[in-house]
Amino acid sequence: MHTKNMENREKHLWNNYLSVLSENQIKPALHTWFVRHCESFIRGNEDTRLKQHTKDSISSYLSGLINADQNKAWQKKQAIDALRLLFKSIHAPLYQQIDWDYWKSSCQDLGKEHDTNYHSTYPVVTPAQLSSSPLDTAQEISISEEINRLRIAIRRKNHSIRTEKTYATWVQQFLKFSLQESTSEVGAQSVSNFLEYLAIQRGVAPGTQSLALNAISFYFKNVLNREIGDISQFVRARPREKLPIILTRDEVSTVLNELSGVRWLVVSLLYGAGLRIMEAIRLRIQDIDFGYSQIIV
């Protein structure tokens, strides 16, 4: 009897799921693949019932899915859509709580030289290859391996692609600046010297200097597994006096008149509602409350 009830529940689950696929205009030829993606997810989480999943457990699964090398971007996006509709079919709150569009946007097929493709940009080098390399090449390889470790740490914490790219850029610059020291030797003085170099030699803004410090702090804490130390005495970047450039109403009208369709809508939201670019691009119909004339960001 117990086995029969299990079979009936499973049959009911997939019947509901297939109905949801049809309602969402998924082509019948793809139904089998969508079911397979869901079955793969369920098998990988046998100890957790579907309605017991949390945002963290789903984010962890999707992060692993995106980082998997064996699937192409379209396959990953299909798997994410399959999972999204699975939670919709069982009326789980996660269907609306997860930013599915964000995860799909992270599934791009990236070129070999793309900054976020650390496997191809920074190939793994064996100790034998490292020992036989000239000094400058060895240093370059060492930095590449550190950036590898940094990117892995960032992805484990599910930070955005933009954060990954920014942090990798600043840590790479810091390591190149500190070439005379090994990673075990870099510390508070090394960081202070680099931050002062940014302020004095490059004349960066305070926000840029703070961003570099945040990236280096993340690297120390999550890759080197130690604190930087006391860096309170470094020279701070000077604030820049710069008036913001603000378009007049006529100039805004001129820009909007040159746009149409989705582009016009996005730019209108940026101007009229004060949304950031990514906030406007990721906006969904359920984020708009027409009754109260509100946009939920």
Side-chain angles (χ1 to χ4, degrees):
M1 182 66 69
H2 178 70
T3 302
K4 188 174 182 179
N5 288 338
M6 290 280 290
E7 291 176 352
N8 288 337
R9 283 200 297 269
E10 186 174 346
K11 184 177 180 181
H12 181 69
L13 169 68
W14 294 121
N15 283 339
N16 280 348
Y17 183 62
L18 292 174
S19 297
V20 169
L21 293 183
S22 298
E23 291 170 4
N24 285 268
Q25 300 180 341
I26 303 300
K27 296 179 181 179
L30 298 177
H31 286 190
T32 300
W33 294 105
F34 273 63
V35 170
R36 287 183 181 179
H37 289 307
C38 294
E39 288 176 336
S40 176
F41 169 76
I42 293 171
R43 284 197 303 269
N45 298 272
E46 291 181 341
D47 297 333
T48 306
R49 298 180 62 182
L50 284 176
K51 288 195 174 183
Q52 292 177 334
H53 277 285
T54 64
K55 289 180 68 175
D56 288 340
S57 66
I58 298 301
S59 295
S60 177
Y61 176 82
L62 294 177
S63 179
L65 174 70
I66 289 172
N67 292 331
D69 294 330
Q70 64 269 28
N71 295 327
K72 295 184 179 296
W74 67 266
Q75 293 173 315
K76 296 174 184 178
K77 290 179 180 179
Q78 187 183 83
I80 293 171
D81 274 334
L83 200 57
R84 174 178 64 85
L85 295 176
L86 175 64
F87 283 105
K88 181 179 182 180
S89 70
I90 63 172
H91 306 289
L94 285 176
Y95 167 66
Q96 293 184 322
Q97 294 173 355
I98 300 292
D99 189 348
W100 303 100
D101 289 334
Y102 162 75
W103 289 105
K104 287 177 65 176
S105 68
S106 302
C107 294
Q108 300 175 6
D109 283 323
L110 305 177
K112 293 194 296 182
E113 301 303 323
H114 195 281
D115 287 330
T116 59
N117 194 341
Y118 65 82
H119 287 299
S120 54
T121 306
Y122 305 108
V124 176
V125 181
T126 64
Q129 290 173 310
L130 184 61
S131 62
S132 60
S133 302
L135 180 60
D136 57 337
T137 304
Q139 289 174 333
E140 184 178 344
I141 292 172
S142 177
I143 291 174
S144 298
E145 290 179 336
E146 289 303 304
I147 300 301
N148 269 354
R149 297 171 62 197
L150 173 69
R151 292 182 186 273
I152 292 171
I154 292 172
R155 294 189 179 191
R156 282 176 176 168
K157 293 186 176 292
N158 296 319
H159 289 310
S160 69
I161 291 294
R162 291 192 173 198
T163 298
E164 177 182 328
K165 182 176 180 179
T166 302
Y167 278 20
T169 298
W170 282 116
V171 172
Q172 186 178 50
Q173 289 188 37
F174 167 67
L175 293 175
K176 286 183 177 180
F177 182 84
S178 308
L179 273 180
Q180 303 306 317
E181 302 171 284
S182 65
T183 53
S184 61
E185 294 174 334
V186 292
Q189 190 58 52
S190 307
V191 176
S192 294
N193 292 342
F194 178 67
L195 296 175
E196 289 185 358
Y197 157 74
L198 293 179
I200 298 172
Q201 301 296 325
R202 289 178 50 179
V204 301
T208 303
Q209 191 184 44
S210 295
L211 182 58
L213 177 56
N214 290 340
I216 296 169
S217 297
F218 183 94
Y219 169 68
F220 269 77
K221 184 176 181 179
N222 297 278
V223 178
L224 300 182
N225 297 315
R226 56 189 172 90
E227 298 296 331
I228 293 176
D230 183 14
I231 56 171
S232 58
Q233 301 302 317
F234 70 88
V235 176
R236 306 277 176 173
R238 292 183 179 180
R240 296 178 179 177
E241 295 182 1
K242 184 178 181 182
L243 292 175
I245 299 175
I246 301 175
L247 298 179
T248 65
R249 289 188 177 184
D250 290 340
E251 289 172 332
V252 172
S253 297
T254 301
V255 172
L256 291 176
N257 288 336
E258 295 296 322
L259 303 173
S260 62
V262 175
R263 291 182 176 85
W264 176 88
L265 178 59
V266 171
V267 175
S268 296
L269 284 171
L270 300 182
Y271 175 68
L275 271 65
R276 299 182 179 92
I277 292 178
M278 292 309 297
E279 289 172 344
I281 291 175
R282 291 174 179 169
L283 203 63
R284 299 166 296 178
I285 189 65
Q286 56 262 42
D287 298 328
I288 303 174
D289 190 328
F290 292 100
Y292 286 95
S293 298
Q294 292 180 344
I295 295 176
I296 302 171
V297 179

